[in-house]
Amino acid sequence: MMNRSLSIALAQLNLLVGDIKGNTDRILRALKQQRGRADLVMFSELALCGYPPEDLLFRADFNQLCITQLARLQKASVHTAILVGHPWKQGDQLYNALSFFSEGKLLGRYFKQLLPNHSVFDEKRYFTPGNTSCIVEFKGYRLGMLICEDIWSPDPVDALKNLGAEVLLSINASPYHREKPYIRNQLLINHCKGTTLPLVYLNQVGVQDELIFDGCSKVFNAQGDLIHRLAAFSEESLVFNLKELASQQIAETAIDADHPLAQIYDALVMAVRDYVNKNGFKTAILGLSGGIDSALTLAIAVDALTAKNVQALMMPFRYTSEESINYARQQAQKQKIELKEIDIHPIFDAVMGQLAPFFADRKKDTTEENLQARCRGMLLMAMANKFGHIVLTTGNKSELAVGYSTLYGDMAGGFDVLKDVSKTLVFKLAKYRNARDGVEVIPQAVIDRPPSAELAPNQTDQDQLPPYAVLDKILEGYLEKDESVTDLVAQGCDEATVRKVIHLVDSNEHKRRQAAIGPRITCRDFGKDRRYPITNGFRHKDLAKD
Amino acid sequence: MMNRSLSIALAQLNLLVGDIKGNTDRILRALKQQRGRADLVMFSELALCGYPPEDLLFRADFNQLCITQLARLQKASVHTAILVGHPWKQGDQLYNALSFFSEGKLLGRYFKQLLPNHSVFDEKRYFTPGNTSCIVEFKGYRLGMLICEDIWSPDPVDALKNLGAEVLLSINASPYHREKPYIRNQLLINHCKGTTLPLVYLNQVGVQDELIFDGCSKVFNAQGDLIHRLAAFSEESLVFNLKELASQQIAETAIDADHPLAQIYDALVMAVRDYVNKNGFKTAILGLSGGIDSALTLAIAVDALTAKNVQALMMPFRYTSEESINYARQQAQKQKIELKEIDIHPIFDAVMGQLAPFFADRKKDTTEENLQARCRGMLLMAMANKFGHIVLTTGNKSELAVGYSTLYGDMAGGFDVLKDVSKTLVFKLAKYRNARDGVEVIPQAVIDRPPSAELAPNQTDQDQLPPYAVLDKILEGYLEKDESVTDLVAQGCDEATVRKVIHLVDSNEHKRRQAAIGPRITCRDFGKDRRYPITNGFRHKDLAKD
């Protein structure tokens, strides 16, 4: 046993959900690249079809194509062994499976035992859980197989240890949120220490709709020391040999060394790039208002798509300040993007003119504010339709939470970059981006000025909302931790403010249901992660009464 | 045992999700009404909080309120026994439970054993399954307890039979779709015949977001004969005595006697009424185009809300025919609703004027068509905002499937009445409604004219789409039955047409994700029922290749 040697390649790929044939081609290319360098190449969970395939899994044609393409992989394992995740239909049951192929033969097939059905996951909708551990003997090693959720409980890992596994191989499609890298890292270390086994953790990278997969695949030795780590938010491959694990140096760039803001920023950049490109767009357009949300969105878009593929529209109205126009122009210049300007007065006036017979005796209210936003949404969509751009929406999580946004107005667009980014985090990310390269891509004045929707004279957000620091504290507690009025008041929040904010959140569910999707960076976003009824009679005041 | 007597009241109520205190008040009133008339009053699944409460179930304050309100029901059982569904938190586990209270005491508490996690259901996201049958002895009868999904497999029913149950009491929140009444009825009859036990089936009535609960609660004798049936699509209560079950006459109005179109029509009327009212609106507005979709939507809206609470806007443009304007006016007159007319030329021209510098050398394309729709959407929203109406959207399932609709244009609104109604079914429902009372509420000419979006000169839908009979056959197979290209071609559909339609469906997922919600009337709607990725590389032609 002293002469054992097993070199493993980790292929951390950015695959496309549903593109079974294309993904198979990608996997085959990655396999070929490792020929002669590695004995085994590992691919991520459901790599064959991408994760999560959602209701495509109900299609017989989809599952059929998975089976024929998997056969190509089996055949290709003649030179180099493959460990790959894929759906597997057996009779009436569908499994979240992995196959271990070597020399054209199936050495092991494992069915995921723990199926996540919480948060953004719906795996019990699709899969039957496996009930058997799987150890593959290969090149003198007993390799224990695990798929994603299996490591989030001690049972499957302990079962492998008891069955004599010597190494744990875990393939994953584990979505990112801002706390996830730390939680996951600690979990992996604990498994190594608990079992005294080395652990190879391979994760998917890339973005699928709202979900960001950060990659960050890792290799730990039996003491839980991090030996290798792959890139965050980009593709990478790595080859290492199991026999050298014990003697190797510990990697210096542990995940914890990354700046949390850098992680979030990079996550958003990858999200924009992937969503735009995977959906067949090359260019994006957004409304630039001179405010911080659109400024940050533009910076992210340029980092994701390059300046030549991003355009902005400034659409002033009578409440737009000179500063706003100047700041928008400054930023466009700094970022070298094309800025077009379209005055919305003639459109707004035409609409109001046609409505005049009906509005005659009515006071101004939010109707007119919404109209301004809708004139802008209409122009952005027209430019996007005519020139083939995608519209990037610029609303942040705080305003989406309280409904401080206009359906079919500023909410119009294909991808809401800051959908899960609170306003206080918007400020932090803007400062981070300016500091990162020492280049002020977002004019400092935009960061410093008081936020305003500029939909009425001298309006600022704080006229209608509590200060953002207060608002975001309440929102985080209410939305991400399910805290009650009582909980929030106990933390020092003003009760009337808490009740007002919660009321706004509850009564704006219908807007969020029609919102563009956007990347998830917190432990609970406005997407698959939060499934609230629109029609909702839950009144927090009832709690006090009884 | 010959002198046993147990009178049971079925309270088929329309409750409000989340309104725990309000629902408890309603339950208490229903209980009081039956005092002296019934020994036991039955309420539906999760009646305390309404069904489905979705992620409200994750809130500690929500579950706490359920517990305090449930205590009120226990207390109130002094005079009349109660069987009621409610969530039940026990340690870390949450159960979908029922409690049987009598004389202020808990006689039995049962946890639902089978948790649906398919179709529109996510119960495994929330609940731990029970693992024990429950029989309550009351007034000399052994009553077997069942909650909804428990009857959709033989096991829980057979277990109750084996434990000596004499009557099956099943409480439900079973959502309607057009085939459901028949499927459900047969299932219930089979249980009676299989167990030779009488079965009392109580269902929720009312609409919660996209889900329609049809009521249709029923009582069967041990031979599976239908003895009593409560109303479809409205509240009703009924008292009967178990001892009389065997000797009673079979009800004449079995569910099968209802006209299938009548059921669908009534379902849509209840959907509009409930969604509008439960969300705090009194009045609705819609765009009336002179076409059949808006005509049917208007008829349903008037039946739901009465004529005085419904308004329509006709918004002609240069492509709008004289007939369209006349038909819209005719229908408004027939239905006694207020029709306002707003010419969209000045708005459209103002938008095009501002875009002229950028569009100068570009040909006309769908951009200009979308703009017309968006001018109309903007006007409808402005009227709704100013006067407090909800906008009813008029798009049907066929056009939403193939993306033959404009985001922020005709898709703008709060509730899409025909969202799950195919175009061919739109025609049938329009004819049904006219025939029903012998009054032509929808002008016959509107039913007879060729459908057109009127967004370009002399345009008809059939210029761009296959005939609706063909389109709807393909859509039903692809969307509702997951049929493949091969399956559809085998049924006689033209392959090129099938591929074109499927491509349109696949590439318009992003539009549907931002669509208004609408009532579900088929076995698979565009809602919780169909969870497709927007970013989707599944290409049907790959199936042919390999």
Side-chain angles (χ1 to χ4, degrees):
Chain A
M1 295 293 266
M2 294 303 286
N3 289 324
R4 292 188 301 182
S5 165
L6 171 53
S7 57
I8 299 177
L10 277 69
Q12 178 179 295
L13 299 183
N14 186 344
L15 300 162
L16 175 58
V17 161
D19 187 15
I20 302 162
K21 186 165 179 306
N23 292 340
T24 304
D25 293 344
R26 292 284 315 278
I27 290 169
L28 288 173
R29 282 202 299 278
L31 191 71
K32 201 172 173 188
Q33 278 166 9
Q34 301 299 345
R35 189 167 160 184
R37 300 177 62 211
D39 301 312
L40 168 67
V41 188
M42 282 174 68
F43 299 92
S44 54
E45 179 183 14
L46 295 190
L48 195 74
C49 62
Y51 188 94
E54 301 187 86
D55 282 7
L56 286 168
L57 288 167
F58 291 144
R59 303 191 61 82
D61 48 8
F62 182 90
N63 287 306
Q64 184 53 40
L65 188 58
C66 285
I67 286 171
T68 55
Q69 295 298 311
L70 188 66
R72 293 175 64 206
L73 297 184
Q74 176 160 1
K75 211 170 153 192
S77 71
V78 171
H79 305 291
T80 315
I82 309 179
L83 171 55
V84 63
H86 57 87
W88 184 251
K89 185 99 186 182
Q90 196 164 287
D92 282 346
Q93 311 298 315
L94 184 67
Y95 296 96
N96 183 334
L98 66 75
S99 291
F100 193 116
F101 297 120
S102 175
E103 299 181 346
K105 296 195 188 78
L106 178 69
L107 294 197
R109 178 163 288 149
Y110 171 67
F111 302 143
K112 187 175 184 176
Q113 297 181 73
L114 301 184
L115 300 175
N117 207 65
H118 56 270
S119 177
V120 300
F121 302 105
D122 284 304
E123 290 200 20
K124 290 181 181 169
R125 180 175 172 86
Y126 308 108
F127 298 115
T128 302
N131 52 21
T132 315
S133 299
C134 173
I135 290 181
V136 174
E137 299 203 29
F138 184 66
K139 305 269 287 176
Y141 285 91
R142 291 174 60 79
L143 307 172
M145 301 294 137
L146 294 161
I147 303 178
C148 210
E149 192 76 6
D150 288 335
I151 58 169
W152 292 84
S153 146
D155 301 346
V157 173
D158 290 349
L160 287 174
K161 171 73 177 176
N162 293 337
L163 290 167
E166 295 169 290
V167 183
L168 302 173
L169 302 186
S170 163
I171 64 170
N172 300 267
S174 173
Y176 168 83
H177 63 72
R178 60 186 168 186
E179 290 94 20
K180 194 72 166 285
Y182 312 101
I183 299 169
R184 195 197 280 148
N185 204 50
Q186 198 51 53
L187 175 80
L188 299 173
I189 292 170
N190 290 347
H191 279 311
C192 295
K193 292 189 172 167
T195 58
T196 60
L197 295 180
L199 195 162
V200 183
Y201 178 89
L202 177 69
N203 194 17
Q204 169 174 314
V205 73
V207 173
Q208 170 62 22
D209 288 351
E210 75 190 65
L211 297 183
I212 296 171
F213 297 90
D214 52 333
C216 292
S217 302
K218 289 171 180 178
V219 180
F220 294 90
N221 68 15
Q223 289 74 49
D225 302 318
L226 181 63
I227 305 300
H228 297 289
R229 184 205 147 184
L230 273 67
F233 310 113
S234 67
E235 292 194 325
E236 193 178 357
S237 288
L238 170 101
V239 185
F240 73 98
N241 199 305
L242 274 183
K243 71 177 173 188
E244 291 156 6
L245 264 199
S247 62
Q248 272 173 318
Q249 290 294 315
I250 295 165
E252 280 181 22
T253 52
I255 180 78
D256 304 72
D258 288 346
H259 195 294
L261 290 175
Q263 276 183 29
I264 296 170
Y265 192 88
D266 292 348
L268 295 174
V269 169
M270 180 173 72
V272 171
R273 187 185 300 126
D274 261 20
Y275 188 82
V276 170
N277 293 338
K278 286 182 175 177
N279 282 288
F281 291 96
K282 288 202 169 62
T283 54
I285 190 167
L286 56 88
L288 196 62
S289 69
I292 192 159
D293 297 319
S294 59
L296 178 62
T297 304
L298 175 59
I300 292 167
V302 169
D303 287 337
L305 305 172
T306 75
K308 74 172 172 21
N309 292 318
V310 181
Q311 268 190 32
L313 271 190
M314 173 78 203
M315 295 168 281
F317 191 58
R318 64 185 71 115
Y319 308 126
T320 309
S321 61
E322 272 306 309
E323 290 82 9
S324 292
I325 298 173
N326 290 335
Y327 295 150
R329 288 178 187 159
Q330 274 174 37
Q331 194 186 357
Q333 205 169 16
K334 281 173 192 285
Q335 303 226 271
K336 301 183 176 58
I337 61 125
E338 192 183 339
L339 178 70
K340 295 190 168 80
E341 299 185 21
I342 307 183
D343 181 2
I344 66 165
H345 280 104
I347 304 167
F348 182 88
D349 292 345
V351 179
M352 288 305 292
Q354 294 306 87
L355 287 167
F358 312 108
F359 283 12
D361 56 346
R362 294 274 168 163
K363 285 190 188 150
K364 275 191 191 169
D365 55 21
T366 51
T367 306
E368 286 78 10
E369 300 191 9
N370 286 336
L371 261 181
Q372 296 164 51
R374 289 188 179 125
C375 289
R376 295 188 175 112
M378 194 186 242
L379 289 169
L380 277 169
M381 290 304 297
M383 291 294 290
N385 287 168
K386 189 60 90 182
F387 298 99
H389 313 305
I390 185 173
V391 174
L392 297 178
T393 316
T394 60
N396 63 61
K397 187 176 192 175
S398 309
E399 59 183 44
L400 197 61
V402 295
Y404 199 66
S405 55
T406 300
L407 267 175
Y408 327 130
D410 50 303
M411 290 176 71
F415 198 61
D416 185 358
V417 182
L418 306 179
K419 185 170 183 179
D420 200 30
V421 179
S422 70
K423 188 79 174 190
T424 45
L425 186 53
V426 167
F427 281 100
K428 287 181 193 165
L429 288 170
K431 289 175 195 160
Y432 160 79
R433 182 60 186 85
N434 276 356
R436 195 184 72 181
D437 307 330
V439 181
E440 196 185 275
V441 296
I442 297 167
Q444 184 61 37
V446 170
I447 300 176
D448 294 337
R449 66 194 304 220
S452 167
E454 294 194 327
L455 295 170
N458 306 312
Q459 188 182 43
T460 72
D461 294 6
Q462 266 27 154
D463 300 342
Q464 285 161 286
L465 299 174
Y468 277 116
V470 173
L471 178 65
D472 284 349
K473 180 181 166 59
I474 296 170
L475 290 175
E476 188 175 330
Y478 184 65
L479 293 171
E480 296 176 24
K481 300 173 191 161
D482 291 321
E483 287 172 351
S484 66
V485 176
T486 315
D487 297 333
L488 288 160
V489 170
Q491 291 166 43
C493 298
D494 170 62
E495 182 169 339
T497 308
V498 170
R499 289 192 183 279
K500 181 187 164 184
V501 170
I502 288 179
H503 173 75
L504 288 172
V505 173
D506 289 352
S507 54
N508 280 290
E509 190 58 35
H510 66 287
K511 284 193 189 176
R512 290 187 290 271
R513 202 67 74 86
Q514 293 187 37
I517 67 163
R520 172 178 182 258
I521 61 138
T522 70
C523 64
R524 191 175 292 165
D525 75 341
F526 289 128
K528 291 171 201 290
D529 217 358
R530 186 174 182 277
R531 307 181 189 179
Y532 260 61
I534 295 178
T535 308
N536 178 1
F538 185 52
R539 294 183 306 256
H540 299 266
K541 64 183 163 58
D542 286 345
L543 281 156
K545 277 191 199 158
D546 297 278
Chain B
M1 295 294 264
M2 293 303 288
N3 289 322
R4 293 188 300 182
S5 164
L6 170 54
S7 58
I8 299 177
L10 277 70
Q12 178 178 296
L13 299 184
N14 185 342
L15 299 162
L16 175 58
V17 162
D19 187 14
I20 303 162
K21 187 165 177 304
N23 293 340
T24 305
D25 293 343
R26 292 284 314 280
I27 291 169
L28 288 173
R29 282 203 298 279
L31 190 73
K32 201 171 171 191
Q33 279 166 9
Q34 301 299 345
R35 190 168 159 182
R37 301 177 61 211
D39 301 312
L40 166 67
V41 188
M42 284 175 68
F43 299 92
S44 54
E45 179 183 15
L46 295 189
L48 195 74
C49 62
Y51 188 94
E54 302 187 86
D55 282 7
L56 285 168
L57 288 167
F58 291 144
R59 305 192 59 82
D61 48 7
F62 182 89
N63 287 306
Q64 183 53 40
L65 188 58
C66 284
I67 287 172
T68 56
Q69 295 298 312
L70 187 66
R72 292 175 65 204
L73 296 184
Q74 175 160 3
K75 211 169 152 192
S77 71
V78 171
H79 303 291
T80 315
I82 309 180
L83 171 55
V84 63
H86 57 87
W88 184 252
K89 186 99 186 183
Q90 197 164 287
D92 282 346
Q93 311 298 315
L94 185 66
Y95 296 97
N96 184 334
L98 67 75
S99 292
F100 193 116
F101 298 119
S102 175
E103 298 181 347
K105 296 195 189 77
L106 178 69
L107 294 197
R109 177 163 289 149
Y110 170 68
F111 301 145
K112 187 175 184 177
Q113 298 182 72
L114 301 183
L115 300 175
N117 207 65
H118 56 270
S119 176
V120 301
F121 302 104
D122 284 305
E123 290 201 20
K124 289 181 182 169
R125 180 175 171 87
Y126 308 109
F127 299 114
T128 303
N131 52 20
T132 315
S133 300
C134 173
I135 290 181
V136 174
E137 299 203 28
F138 184 66
K139 305 268 288 175
Y141 285 91
R142 292 174 60 80
L143 307 172
M145 302 292 138
L146 294 161
I147 304 178
C148 210
E149 192 76 6
D150 289 335
I151 57 169
W152 292 85
S153 146
D155 301 347
V157 172
D158 291 348
L160 286 173
K161 170 74 177 178
N162 293 337
L163 289 167
E166 296 169 289
V167 184
L168 302 173
L169 302 186
S170 163
I171 64 170
N172 300 268
S174 173
Y176 167 83
H177 64 72
R178 60 186 166 185
E179 290 95 18
K180 192 73 165 286
Y182 312 102
I183 299 170
R184 195 197 281 147
N185 203 50
Q186 198 52 54
L187 176 80
L188 298 174
I189 292 170
N190 290 347
H191 279 311
C192 294
K193 292 188 173 168
T195 58
T196 61
L197 294 180
L199 195 163
V200 183
Y201 178 89
L202 178 68
N203 193 18
Q204 170 174 313
V205 74
V207 173
Q208 171 60 22
D209 289 351
E210 74 190 65
L211 297 182
I212 297 171
F213 298 89
D214 51 333
C216 292
S217 302
K218 289 171 180 176
V219 179
F220 294 89
N221 68 15
Q223 289 75 50
D225 302 316
L226 181 63
I227 305 299
H228 297 290
R229 184 205 149 185
L230 272 67
F233 310 113
S234 67
E235 292 194 323
E236 193 177 358
S237 289
L238 169 101
V239 185
F240 73 97
N241 199 304
L242 274 183
K243 71 178 174 185
E244 292 156 6
L245 263 197
S247 62
Q248 271 172 319
Q249 290 295 314
I250 295 164
E252 282 182 20
T253 54
I255 180 78
D256 304 72
D258 288 346
H259 193 295
L261 290 174
Q263 276 182 31
I264 296 171
Y265 191 87
D266 292 348
L268 295 173
V269 169
M270 181 174 72
V272 171
R273 187 186 299 125
D274 260 20
Y275 188 82
V276 171
N277 293 337
K278 286 182 175 178
N279 282 288
F281 291 97
K282 289 203 168 62
T283 55
I285 190 167
L286 56 87
L288 197 61
S289 69
I292 192 160
D293 297 320
S294 59
L296 178 61
T297 304
L298 175 60
I300 292 167
V302 169
D303 286 338
L305 306 171
T306 75
K308 75 173 171 25
N309 292 317
V310 181
Q311 267 190 33
L313 272 191
M314 174 78 204
M315 295 169 283
F317 190 58
R318 64 185 71 116
Y319 309 125
T320 309
S321 62
E322 271 306 308
E323 290 82 7
S324 292
I325 297 174
N326 289 336
Y327 295 150
R329 287 178 187 160
Q330 273 174 36
Q331 195 187 358
Q333 204 169 17
K334 280 173 193 286
Q335 302 226 272
K336 300 183 177 59
I337 61 126
E338 193 183 338
L339 178 70
K340 295 189 168 81
E341 298 184 20
I342 307 183
D343 180 2
I344 66 166
H345 281 104
I347 304 169
F348 181 88
D349 291 345
V351 178
M352 289 306 292
Q354 294 306 87
L355 287 167
F358 313 108
F359 282 13
D361 56 346
R362 295 273 170 161
K363 284 189 186 150
K364 274 192 191 171
D365 56 20
T366 51
T367 307
E368 286 77 11
E369 299 191 9
N370 286 336
L371 260 181
Q372 295 165 51
R374 289 190 179 122
C375 288
R376 295 187 176 113
M378 194 186 244
L379 288 170
L380 277 169
M381 290 304 297
M383 291 294 289
N385 287 168
K386 189 60 90 182
F387 298 99
H389 312 306
I390 185 173
V391 174
L392 297 177
T393 316
T394 61
N396 63 61
K397 188 176 193 176
S398 309
E399 59 182 43
L400 197 62
V402 295
Y404 198 67
S405 55
T406 301
L407 267 176
Y408 327 131
D410 50 304
M411 290 175 71
F415 199 61
D416 185 358
V417 181
L418 306 179
K419 185 170 182 179
D420 200 30
V421 179
S422 70
K423 188 77 173 190
T424 43
L425 186 53
V426 167
F427 281 101
K428 286 182 193 165
L429 288 170
K431 288 176 196 161
Y432 160 78
R433 181 61 185 86
N434 275 357
R436 195 184 72 181
D437 307 330
V439 181
E440 194 184 277
V441 295
I442 297 168
Q444 184 61 38
V446 170
I447 299 176
D448 294 336
R449 65 195 306 219
S452 167
E454 295 194 328
L455 294 170
N458 305 313
Q459 189 182 45
T460 72
D461 293 5
Q462 262 33 150
D463 300 341
Q464 285 161 287
L465 300 173
Y468 277 115
V470 174
L471 178 66
D472 285 349
K473 180 182 165 61
I474 296 170
L475 290 175
E476 187 174 330
Y478 184 65
L479 294 170
E480 295 175 26
K481 300 174 191 161
D482 291 320
E483 286 173 351
S484 67
V485 175
T486 315
D487 297 334
L488 288 160
V489 170
Q491 291 166 42
C493 299
D494 170 62
E495 182 169 340
T497 308
V498 170
R499 289 194 183 277
K500 180 187 164 183
V501 169
I502 288 180
H503 173 74
L504 288 172
V505 173
D506 289 354
S507 55
N508 281 291
E509 190 59 34
H510 67 286
K511 283 193 189 176
R512 289 187 290 270
R513 203 67 73 87
Q514 293 188 35
I517 67 164
R520 172 178 183 258
I521 60 137
T522 71
C523 63
R524 191 176 289 166
D525 75 342
F526 290 127
K528 292 171 200 288
D529 216 357
R530 186 174 182 278
R531 305 181 189 180
Y532 259 61
I534 295 177
T535 310
N536 178 1
F538 185 53
R539 292 184 306 256
H540 298 267
K541 65 182 164 56
D542 286 345
L543 281 156
K545 277 190 199 160
D546 297 274

